[in-house]
Amino acid sequence: MTDKTQQDRVLIFDTTLRDGEQSPGATMSHEEKLEIAQLLDDMGVDIIEAGFPIASDGDFEAVSAIAAQSKNAVICGLARASTNDIDRCWEAVKHAARPRIHTFIGTSPLHRDITALDQEQMVEKIQATVAHARNLCGDVQWSPMDATRTEHDYLCRVVEAAIKSGATTINIPDTVGYTAPRESADLIRMLLERVPGADEIIFATHCHNDLGMATANALAAVEAGARQIECTINGLGERAGNTALEEVVMAMRVRNDIMPYRTGIDTTKIMHLSRRVSQVSGFAVQFNKAVVGKNAFLHESGIHQDGVLKNVQTFEIMRPEDIGLNAKNIALGKHSGRAALRAKLGELGYELGDNQLKDVFVRFKALADRKKEVYDDDLIALLADASASAADDHLQVRKLRVVCGTEGPQEAELTLAVAGVEQFVDATGDGPVDAVFNAVKMIYPHGAKLDLYQVQAVTEGTDAQATVSVRLSLDGRVFTGQSADTDTVVASAKAYVNALNRLHAGQGRPSNSALMQSAS
């Protein structure tokens, strides 16, 4: 790098819209790509690889539109070692305030066999295509695909050829996620030491996560002298994905004692972008994903909960607000202790004495043994002493059969016991759940309004258990119900009936002050 004052600056190159979208099933619409690009630009990403312009007309149009709207980031397009690819890429990015062409070719023995080029022929092709790109654009990135499995002597030779032909950034991809951190660092050091002109360009690293080491490999490369990290939001990418932007950025922030490098990323925008990418790509973020996973700031163990309540640094190396998350850090479950329960009730606005807390804690433990997670409404029900057994419920679902499909209306045949007397009804509706709720209302008429119907999958897969939550309101009071079943429609019926049982018993949710008075 020519500017020695920038040696501690690490450029963030985001390829969510290119490599991330190559994940099977992760295709994004034109509008979604523009939205994600805008969010990346606003967050401070240095380079946005917006797509592969020659791949399709849609890709070309998206890259062109992103280039036109960009404010600060370099907008990059990908091109194979072909003049047609490079010309098409330039046409797409040329309207950006800061355009870049990224061209590549596979250099390992396996990839040379695919292209049917010997070593000499490949060097000539690299020289010609990189020079062609540089004649069009002053910012050219070149990648030797599968660099980590390329012979070291030959890798040095092709990198030198690319630099002499005009490449300003040399990316060293671990295309198949094969490398270990020490190897990643040694490779960058070798290139800096052996390749003429290496100190005048920027070395980048692009790591795949096939062995779960993408972030470690990327950070090791930075310690060795790389100054650009290619990554994606949520680690989205082919096979096991890529280096995750949020992981490398937060790792440098948390461990700046051993990684004293700077980025321009506004970390408070990370969580919003993570969730949006998850939505538009259709790829859910795993609960235990580093930094942005649902459980990243949650503690269920009583020991851990007690620790973070006394000093959050006891079990957390970063804060939720650092990534724009305002969620609380306590998840109630069977391992939770009294301190966590008291804290959660306090968040809900209820302050209990020691004897009251002891009584609620016993019932909380019994409930937690039956559930993966205890929700706020569950605690409110405990406080309201709404612990009647299912056998005593005024309404009980006995049998349910639903007919649904492309030809409507959908139909529900329901047998519901009311005060122990079974009643049968056949109802229709706009969808199976609507038909079920209509059937229940035919047997048990009521004036309550359905304020919330929510389905949450507890696990993954087609046999996942669904947890359904229902919230009804009537005359200023709120009645909640919840049920879980591998059949979502059955869970919906039981949750709705559960809420109606509370309505029938007058066990609605009163105001906080009223409930506190009744508990005192």
Side-chain angles (χ1 to χ4, degrees):
M1 297 176 65
T2 56
D3 188 350
K4 298 301 182 182
T5 64
Q6 295 296 312
Q7 283 294 316
D8 65 338
R9 179 75 155 83
V10 176
L11 302 175
I12 299 299
F13 177 113
D14 186 274
T15 184
T16 302
L17 297 174
R18 199 277 299 171
D19 198 327
E21 202 200 15
Q22 289 177 196
S23 301
T27 301
M28 304 177 199
S29 71
H30 182 87
E31 292 72 20
E32 289 168 343
K33 289 181 181 179
L34 265 62
E35 177 191 356
I36 296 301
Q38 183 65 59
L39 292 173
L40 289 168
D41 201 5
D42 291 344
M43 188 171 70
V45 165
D46 298 285
I47 305 102
I48 299 172
E49 189 165 54
F52 198 167
I54 206 167
S56 68
D57 290 342
D59 240 29
F60 177 86
E61 291 167 3
V63 176
S64 299
I66 291 169
Q69 78 170 17
S70 63
K71 297 176 182 177
N72 303 306
V74 171
I75 302 302
C76 175
L78 186 67
R80 293 167 297 190
S82 156
T83 55
N84 288 337
D85 274 43
I86 292 168
D87 289 344
R88 186 68 166 165
C89 181
W90 174 241
E91 286 299 314
V93 302
K94 68 180 182 181
H95 296 298
R98 302 168 65 196
R100 174 181 292 190
I101 295 173
H102 178 194
T103 184
F104 72 97
I105 193 169
T107 56
S108 70
L110 287 167
H111 285 263
R112 293 200 302 269
D113 287 345
I114 293 173
T115 59
L117 296 173
D118 62 27
Q119 291 189 2
E120 292 299 326
Q121 291 171 324
M122 182 163 286
V123 169
E124 292 174 2
K125 192 174 188 67
I126 292 167
Q127 291 170 329
T129 52
V130 171
H132 181 69
R134 184 59 189 267
N135 286 335
L136 297 172
C137 183
D139 187 352
V140 175
Q141 176 170 315
W142 180 74
S143 294
M145 186 165 63
D146 205 20
T148 56
R149 294 193 296 177
T150 300
E151 308 95 317
H152 285 189
D153 287 346
Y154 189 61
L155 183 62
C156 289
R157 184 181 176 190
V158 293
V159 167
E160 180 181 358
I163 292 173
K164 287 182 176 179
S165 299
T168 52
T169 298
I170 300 292
N171 177 47
I172 304 301
D174 183 21
T175 305
V176 294
Y178 179 77
T179 304
R182 182 180 295 178
E183 295 172 317
S184 179
D186 288 346
L187 198 58
I188 296 296
R189 290 193 187 96
M190 180 199 71
L191 293 169
L192 285 168
E193 291 170 359
R194 292 180 53 181
V195 176
D199 60 336
E200 297 299 319
I201 55 93
I202 292 174
F203 274 101
T205 182
H206 179 116
C207 302
H208 278 265
N209 204 40
D210 295 71
L211 295 177
M213 294 190 286
T215 295
N217 285 333
L219 293 173
V222 168
E223 289 191 83
R227 286 298 177 267
Q228 177 180 296
I229 295 177
E230 297 202 1
C231 48
T232 60
I233 299 297
N234 299 335
L236 190 67
E238 296 180 281
R239 305 184 311 279
N242 295 286
T243 301
L245 179 150
E246 60 275 6
E247 293 177 10
V248 293
V249 169
M250 293 309 294
M252 286 188 283
R253 175 171 175 163
V254 171
R255 293 307 310 271
N256 58 14
D257 54 335
I258 62 172
M259 289 180 284
Y261 312 115
R262 298 178 296 110
T263 74
I265 298 296
D266 180 353
T267 64
T268 64
K269 299 181 184 294
I270 285 176
M271 182 55 74
H272 173 65
L273 189 48
S274 169
R275 288 173 172 171
R276 191 66 187 119
V277 168
S278 176
Q279 290 170 350
V280 302
S281 69
F283 278 62
V285 178
Q286 66 194 60
F287 283 9
N288 63 338
K289 170 78 167 61
V291 183
V292 295
K294 178 181 177 181
N295 292 348
F297 294 96
L298 296 180
H299 308 275
E300 183 175 319
S301 163
I303 294 174
H304 283 229
Q305 291 172 338
D306 185 61
V308 296
L309 288 169
K310 293 174 179 174
N311 184 341
V312 71
Q313 293 180 333
T314 307
F315 290 107
E316 289 186 6
I317 59 172
M318 63 189 88
R319 298 295 300 122
E321 53 265 29
D322 293 342
I323 61 170
L325 184 66
N326 295 317
K328 301 299 182 181
N329 59 359
I330 298 296
L332 294 180
K334 66 179 182 180
H335 301 296
S336 301
R338 285 182 176 83
L341 179 61
R342 185 190 292 275
K344 172 58 74 174
L345 293 174
E347 292 170 14
L348 296 173
Y350 310 123
E351 299 296 334
L352 274 64
D354 290 341
N355 289 336
Q356 297 163 338
L357 180 65
K358 181 179 179 180
D359 176 62
V360 172
F361 184 72
V362 171
R363 288 185 280 129
F364 159 73
K365 279 290 189 178
L367 178 63
D369 281 338
R370 303 192 302 270
K371 299 190 62 175
K372 285 184 176 292
E373 186 173 350
V374 177
Y375 300 96
D376 294 355
D377 282 348
D378 296 314
L379 295 179
I380 294 168
L382 290 177
L383 287 171
D385 197 25
S387 57
S389 66
D392 297 329
D393 284 343
H394 183 67
L395 304 174
Q396 298 177 30
V397 176
R398 294 289 172 83
K399 293 180 182 179
L400 176 63
R401 180 176 179 271
V402 174
V403 179
C404 60
T406 58
E407 297 182 3
Q410 284 67 45
E411 181 180 7
E413 298 176 358
L414 173 68
T415 300
L416 188 69
V418 181
V421 179
E422 291 188 358
Q423 299 185 38
F424 172 83
V425 72
D426 188 342
T428 59
D430 184 15
V433 174
D434 187 53
V436 169
F437 285 14
N438 287 342
V440 172
K441 198 166 185 179
M442 288 173 65
I443 296 175
Y444 186 79
H446 62 84
K449 177 185 176 184
L450 178 63
D451 292 326
L452 173 71
Y453 169 75
Q454 187 175 66
V455 180
Q456 179 181 3
V458 178
T459 59
E460 295 181 353
T462 57
D463 62 344
Q465 179 171 246
T467 297
V468 177
S469 299
V470 169
R471 185 170 68 223
L472 306 175
S473 61
L474 179 66
D475 298 330
R477 294 172 67 83
V478 176
F479 307 86
T480 61
Q482 189 177 81
S483 184
D485 199 282
T486 54
D487 187 323
T488 304
V489 179
V490 172
S492 301
K494 291 182 177 178
Y496 189 51
V497 167
N498 187 0
L500 289 175
N501 277 319
R502 293 182 177 178
L503 183 153
H504 176 79
Q507 294 173 339
R509 173 177 171 178
S511 65
N512 287 358
S513 59
L515 189 51
M516 290 171 64
Q517 291 174 1
S518 66
S520 61

